[in-house]
Amino acid sequence: MYNKLKEIINHAKLYGFIFKSSEIYNGIKSIYDYGPQGIEMKNNIKKFWWNYMVKYRDNIVGIESSIFMNNKVWKASGHIKNFNELFIINYIDNKIYIIDKLFYKIINYNIIENKKKIKLIFNYYFKNKKIKKLNLFLKQLINKYNLSKKFKWNKINNINLMFKTKFNSLNNDKFTYLRPETAQGIFVNIKNVKNSNRLKIPFGIAQIGKSFRNEIISKQFIFRTREFEQMEMQYFIYPGQEKKWYKYWLKSRLKWHYYLINKKKYKLKIHKNLSHYCKFATDIELKIFNKFKEIEGIHFRKNYDLKNHKKLSKKNLYFYDNKEKKSYIPYVIETSLGLDRLFYSIFTSSFKIEKINNKKRIYLKLPIFISPIKIAIFPIIKKNKIINVSKKIFNFLKYKFTTIYDENKSIGKRYKIQDSLGTPYCITIDFITLKNNTVTIRLRDNMKQIRCKINKLIKYFNKKFDISLFFKNNI
């Protein structure tokens, strides 16, 4: 049976996008490295996000906080107490099941009665972490409906998802955590950022950075991994204005996504079972292999984090309202995007296979401003005059656009390689070039070819790669 994901993973490795980490030692589960093309594409996505969220806005600034933080940060945020995963090991199929996924797998059987009541009971036990009662309730459900041949386990396991590490080798009692999210680095720096930049409410603080979670189940290539990169922005607002700004940022983030991938592939999921810090939340989901997957979350965090940090640190995190003549702790709207998930989504949705003259053609139909290589320069043959012109064109284009030069293999094979890399434009220098100073520009998506004067190449590509109009119209 054809496995498209397997072919995509092989393609990503073959063309230098993503490798299994430490592969010469058989790798490590769900940890990956980005290759030369992968890091270029990843950086292009980051740049597109940063320009939209920070660079072209007057009231949003960026920071880069550290991965290691004082343990009190995670105590105040609730991660030490609440950032847990409940799971069982099923003796029947030797698989690990996250408890809520297990429950919905059970309840989907047609023989189950009173599903609404059963859901209410489950949600109460699950939300309040009543593990013993939850375990008993699920086992009773299994026995009542004769599902013991499908599910059998001993106990519900409960682990914290943060990675612990020793902080000081001279003192073995000292430990810290690898951060499970970037948001807390923003919250604990709010006063530093506000005062150093003279910001007034409403304002935002953005960050791109690594996070780490000891996921029980990590799967589907780079979509769900234990080490990942987040692009987050916390927007601080007056209490009472949360609905206005929540709607604004949900709409704004959708515009950004629609510029990357066809809007028909997206849908919104409004959360009912909320995280401990959340008051309301919406997921932006994308259809990948006929299933909708969460790409980004828009959350109203109220002032949960800031209040807890104020209480535990005993520091003044109040803001003063000159009009109302009173102090307050700002509310927060969060936009949180998984960079690796988005990379995966763009890569898989751009992977195209078509047949031309009974021959298989594979190409990456990447948004051209995301493509790792923008232009490839090809001399039609290895003749000195043609090579000299080709290198001259390469040398003046490379300072404006990510450009590569290739004179090896046949022109057809070179086109095929660049199609596989997602390069939107290939320039071929031929004998006609020597006569009239024109070159052939070959387009990736439809393979059409046009002639263009050498002295007009900069103008042509500036127009093609310019996305400033998107920023002007959507910020």
Side-chain angles (χ1 to χ4, degrees):
M1 193 171 104
Y2 173 61
N3 188 327
K4 187 176 181 180
L5 178 58
K6 188 175 181 181
E7 185 169 7
I8 287 172
I9 292 170
N10 290 336
H11 188 95
K13 178 185 175 181
L14 181 62
Y15 290 98
F17 285 90
I18 297 168
F19 311 129
K20 185 179 282 190
S21 181
S22 48
E23 188 178 16
I24 63 170
Y25 296 104
N26 296 320
I28 180 170
K29 189 178 179 184
S30 299
I31 304 292
Y32 294 92
D33 298 333
Y34 284 83
Q37 275 60 255
I39 193 61
E40 286 289 338
M41 179 174 158
K42 196 179 187 186
N43 285 337
N44 290 339
I45 297 169
K46 286 184 188 180
K47 183 179 178 182
F48 181 52
W49 184 87
W50 194 263
N51 286 346
Y52 184 72
M53 297 298 288
V54 182
K55 185 176 179 179
Y56 297 125
R57 296 183 187 269
D58 298 330
N59 66 340
I60 298 178
V61 295
I63 67 165
E64 180 179 282
S65 63
S66 61
I67 288 170
F68 294 117
M69 303 178 78
N70 190 300
N71 287 351
K72 288 181 180 178
V73 170
W74 308 116
K75 183 179 179 182
S77 69
H79 281 82
I80 290 176
K81 183 180 178 182
N82 298 312
F83 198 57
N84 301 327
E85 192 86 274
L86 302 179
F87 68 96
I88 60 106
I89 300 171
N90 187 17
Y91 297 144
I92 305 299
D93 58 11
N94 290 317
K95 287 183 179 179
I96 293 173
Y97 288 88
I98 306 299
I99 284 298
D100 54 337
K101 301 290 191 298
L102 171 69
F103 172 71
Y104 285 104
K105 192 174 182 70
I106 293 169
I107 208 169
N108 279 337
Y109 284 99
N110 293 328
I111 54 174
I112 307 292
E113 300 168 343
N114 300 317
K115 291 186 178 184
K116 192 173 182 180
K117 183 181 177 181
I118 291 170
K119 283 182 182 179
L120 287 172
I121 296 169
F122 171 81
N123 286 332
Y124 173 77
Y125 289 151
F126 181 69
K127 196 170 185 179
N128 292 285
K129 295 289 192 292
K130 295 187 179 294
I131 298 173
K132 287 183 180 179
K133 289 184 177 181
L134 185 61
N135 196 32
L136 182 62
F137 171 69
L138 290 174
K139 285 187 174 182
Q140 286 173 344
L141 205 59
I142 294 294
N143 292 330
K144 182 177 179 180
Y145 292 102
N146 298 316
L147 295 172
S148 55
K149 289 184 178 180
K150 294 183 180 292
F151 304 101
K152 186 180 180 182
W153 67 91
N154 182 21
K155 64 175 183 177
I156 292 176
N157 300 282
N158 181 20
I159 69 160
N160 191 281
L161 295 181
M162 289 193 291
F163 282 104
K164 262 187 183 181
T165 183
K166 292 288 176 66
F167 194 64
N168 188 337
S169 59
L170 297 176
N171 185 344
N172 290 328
D173 294 330
K174 285 283 184 182
F175 70 88
T176 188
Y177 299 97
L178 299 182
R179 67 181 179 195
E181 65 174 27
T182 57
Q184 298 307 318
I186 293 174
F187 293 129
V188 298
N189 273 302
I190 184 171
K191 277 298 181 84
N192 287 333
V193 174
K194 173 189 175 292
N195 294 337
S196 61
N197 288 268
R198 295 176 294 163
L199 295 168
K200 293 182 179 179
I201 297 287
F203 69 87
I205 304 175
Q207 178 170 205
I208 299 174
K210 291 269 190 177
S211 294
F212 306 84
R213 296 178 185 177
N214 194 12
E215 300 280 5
I216 304 303
I217 298 174
S218 50
K219 57 183 179 180
Q220 209 161 357
F221 198 22
I222 60 169
F223 190 84
R224 190 179 182 91
T225 57
R226 294 182 175 93
E227 176 188 347
F228 55 96
E229 203 159 358
Q230 291 179 292
M231 303 194 292
E232 291 196 328
M233 191 277 299
Q234 309 297 326
Y235 199 70
F236 301 96
I237 61 173
Y238 288 110
Q241 294 186 347
E242 55 269 19
K243 287 186 179 178
K244 167 190 167 183
W245 288 113
Y246 184 78
K247 287 179 182 177
Y248 170 84
W249 281 112
L250 181 57
K251 185 178 178 181
S252 181
R253 295 304 304 140
L254 283 171
K255 286 178 183 177
W256 186 87
H257 279 282
Y258 293 163
Y259 200 70
L260 283 171
I261 299 173
N262 190 325
K263 66 185 294 183
K264 292 179 181 178
K265 292 189 175 184
Y266 287 95
K267 79 168 186 177
L268 298 178
K269 179 184 176 183
I270 298 171
H271 269 259
K272 293 179 182 177
N273 297 319
L274 298 168
S275 302
H276 60 277
Y277 58 78
C278 229
K279 292 301 173 186
F280 45 82
T282 301
D283 285 345
I284 297 173
E285 294 189 333
L286 183 66
K287 196 173 188 180
I288 306 167
F289 298 127
N290 298 316
K291 287 185 179 181
F292 281 96
K293 303 280 188 179
E294 177 194 348
I295 299 298
E296 179 166 3
I298 314 297
H299 311 124
F300 168 47
R301 298 180 76 124
K302 206 173 179 182
N303 53 16
Y304 171 89
D305 304 271
L306 293 178
K307 279 177 76 174
N308 285 351
H309 287 307
K310 172 194 162 293
K311 184 178 179 181
L312 190 61
S313 69
K314 296 182 170 53
K315 296 294 190 296
N316 179 11
L317 297 181
Y318 282 108
F319 283 58
Y320 188 73
D321 187 335
N322 286 314
K323 286 184 179 179
E324 298 292 329
K325 305 295 181 187
K326 66 177 183 180
S327 296
Y328 66 97
I329 295 177
Y331 281 2
V332 180
I333 304 296
E334 173 184 69
T335 72
S336 180
L337 171 64
L339 176 54
D340 306 274
R341 288 187 174 199
L342 182 62
F343 185 107
Y344 173 88
S345 305
I346 295 171
F347 197 86
T348 53
S349 64
S350 300
F351 186 82
K352 305 295 181 185
I353 300 174
E354 60 185 25
K355 272 198 172 182
I356 299 175
N357 299 325
N358 290 322
K359 288 185 177 180
K360 185 179 179 181
R361 180 188 179 226
I362 294 176
Y363 66 105
L364 292 178
K365 195 176 180 180
L366 297 167
I368 63 172
F369 58 96
I370 297 297
S371 298
I373 300 166
K374 302 295 188 288
I375 303 165
I377 309 291
F378 301 152
I380 190 82
I381 58 170
K382 289 184 179 181
K383 290 281 187 182
N384 285 339
K385 286 185 179 180
I386 290 176
I387 286 174
N388 289 339
V389 175
S390 301
K391 287 187 175 179
K392 187 177 178 181
I393 292 170
F394 169 68
N395 284 326
F396 79 74
L397 285 180
K398 71 180 181 181
Y399 295 107
K400 289 283 289 180
F401 315 100
T402 308
T403 308
I404 63 110
Y405 173 86
D406 188 1
E407 61 182 40
N408 299 311
K409 298 188 177 182
S410 70
I411 195 74
K413 287 181 178 178
R414 281 180 272 172
Y415 283 148
K416 185 179 179 181
I417 290 168
Q418 294 308 313
D419 284 347
S420 298
L421 294 171
T423 305
Y425 302 104
C426 294
I427 296 175
T428 302
I429 293 84
D430 53 24
F431 291 104
I432 299 173
T433 306
L434 302 179
K435 292 179 182 178
N436 62 11
N437 286 323
T438 66
V439 295
T440 298
I441 300 175
R442 188 252 196 190
L443 313 181
R444 175 196 66 199
D445 296 345
N446 56 21
M447 298 187 295
K448 287 183 179 178
Q449 297 185 2
I450 60 170
R451 298 295 294 191
C452 180
K453 286 278 189 183
I454 292 174
N455 61 6
K456 291 186 177 178
L457 286 173
I458 294 283
K459 184 179 179 181
Y460 176 84
F461 289 120
N462 272 337
K463 188 176 180 180
K464 291 294 181 183
F465 293 118
D466 183 20
I467 57 170
S468 59
L469 198 62
F470 166 77
F471 296 122
K472 288 176 184 175
N473 293 338
N474 292 287
I475 293 177

